[in-house]
Amino acid sequence: MVAGGVAATGAFAGQEGAGEPGGQQTAAQVVSCPSADGRLPEVRARARAEVDRELAGPERQLAEANERLARSQGEGGPDVVRNAVLGPLLDKRGAVLDRIGQAIDREGGERPQGLEAMDACGLDATA
């Protein structure tokens, strides 16, 4: 199983730093995760279709996580973000990365080193 990391930082509604003096809000937050682009070695043809299918998942999952994050703004603080947004995303990404490794193993390839680095998602502020 591929392990993941969560970096939940920043201010949330109701916390110090959630808005600027005078009622102005700070930058919105988005979930960001490392891309698989250029991180996988050459994949054997027999495993390529399965790996390509799996690689489509993380982008879709990231978009869904950002939609959940946007809907949860101001609700419950960092625990909600960690439990309702980042946690499920990391579980799904970990499963995808594990299936990619299994597909490569199954076809006699060598499991890429450092797949778990693609599971290090966190929050970034947008301008």
Side-chain angles (χ1 to χ4, degrees), residues 8 18 21 29 48 64-65 84 87 121:
Q29 293 181 316
R48 175 49 57 192
E64 291 167 359
C121 300

Side-chain angles (χ1 to χ4, degrees), residues 73-114:
Q73 291 295 333
E75 296 178 9
D79 288 338
V80 167
V81 172
R82 188 172 25 260
N83 296 331
V85 178
L86 290 175
L89 174 64
L90 293 174
D91 289 344
K92 291 175 186 177
R93 284 180 70 88
V96 165
L97 295 172
D98 197 40
R99 287 191 300 268
I100 288 171
Q102 290 172 4
I104 293 169
D105 287 345
R106 195 171 33 253
E107 298 302 333
E110 187 173 322
R111 185 180 287 245
Q113 298 297 312

Side-chain angles (χ1 to χ4, degrees), residues 34-40 55 59 93 118:
S35 171
D37 291 342
R39 292 183 180 237
L40 292 178
L55 285 173
E59 291 303 317
R93 284 180 70 88
M118 292 173 13

Side-chain angles (χ1 to χ4, degrees), residues 7-10 12 29-32 66 69 81 85-86 121-125:
T9 59
F12 299 89
Q29 293 181 316
V30 295
V31 178
S32 64
N66 276 309
L69 180 64
V81 172
V85 178
L86 290 175
C121 300
L123 297 178
D124 288 332

Side-chain angles (χ1 to χ4, degrees), residues 9-29 73-74 77-78 125-126:
T9 59
F12 299 89
Q15 293 182 323
E16 186 176 326
E20 297 295 327
Q24 296 176 347
Q25 294 294 318
T26 58
Q29 293 181 316
Q73 291 295 333
T126 62

